[in-house]
């Protein structure tokens, strides 16, 4: 369990990341489970993740849209506020 193994430092950075969607042309999966379209991003179609970077160990954790919907504080606060409270 990560919580028992890693004692995070005091420098934590919350951000979002975008993974570009590249459909397979060899007959693989052509649908993306959670497609996001963001005009301000250089490659605006793909998967968006909320990320937490821990600066002491250089670890990055991420949550996708489906995972975030069922986590703590989600029903009580807006989704981004809930994410910060979980951290």
């Amino acid at each position: 369990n990560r919580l028992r193994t890693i004692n995070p430092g005091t420098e934590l950075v919350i951000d979002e990341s975008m993974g570009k969607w590249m459909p397979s042309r060899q007959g693989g999966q052509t649908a993306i489970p959670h497609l996001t379209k963001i005009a301000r991003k250089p490659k605006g179609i793909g998967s968006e993740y909320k990320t937490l970077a821990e600066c002491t160990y250089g670890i990055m954790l991420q949550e996708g849209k489906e995972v975030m919907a069922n986590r703590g504080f989600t029903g009580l606060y807006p989704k981004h506020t809930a994410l910060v409270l979980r951290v």
Side-chain angles (χ1 to χ4, degrees):
N1 183 321
R2 231 180 270 146
L3 194 57
R4 284 181 256 164
T5 307
I6 298 171
N7 186 12
T10 57
E11 297 178 35
L12 303 172
V13 179
I14 297 174
D15 200 1
E16 59 186 33
S17 299
M18 185 83 173
K20 179 182 166 188
W21 181 47
M22 299 171 49
S24 172
R25 296 184 186 260
Q26 283 94 23
Q29 182 180 357
T30 57
I32 189 167
H34 46 87
L35 182 65
T36 304
K37 205 172 198 181
I38 303 175
R40 71 181 191 282
K41 299 285 185 178
K43 305 289 183 188
I45 299 176
S47 297
E48 183 180 23
Y49 304 98
K50 303 303 178 193
T51 56
L52 170 74
E54 195 284 333
C55 302
T56 303
Y57 295 103
I59 297 170
M60 183 175 276
L61 304 173
Q62 66 183 17
E63 285 188 343
K65 187 185 282 187
E66 291 82 15
V67 174
M68 286 179 60
N70 299 315
R71 290 308 244 336
F73 302 110
T74 302
L76 303 171
Y77 300 98
K79 60 185 178 181
H80 295 96
T81 304
L83 174 67
V84 172
L85 291 171
R86 285 194 299 273
V87 172

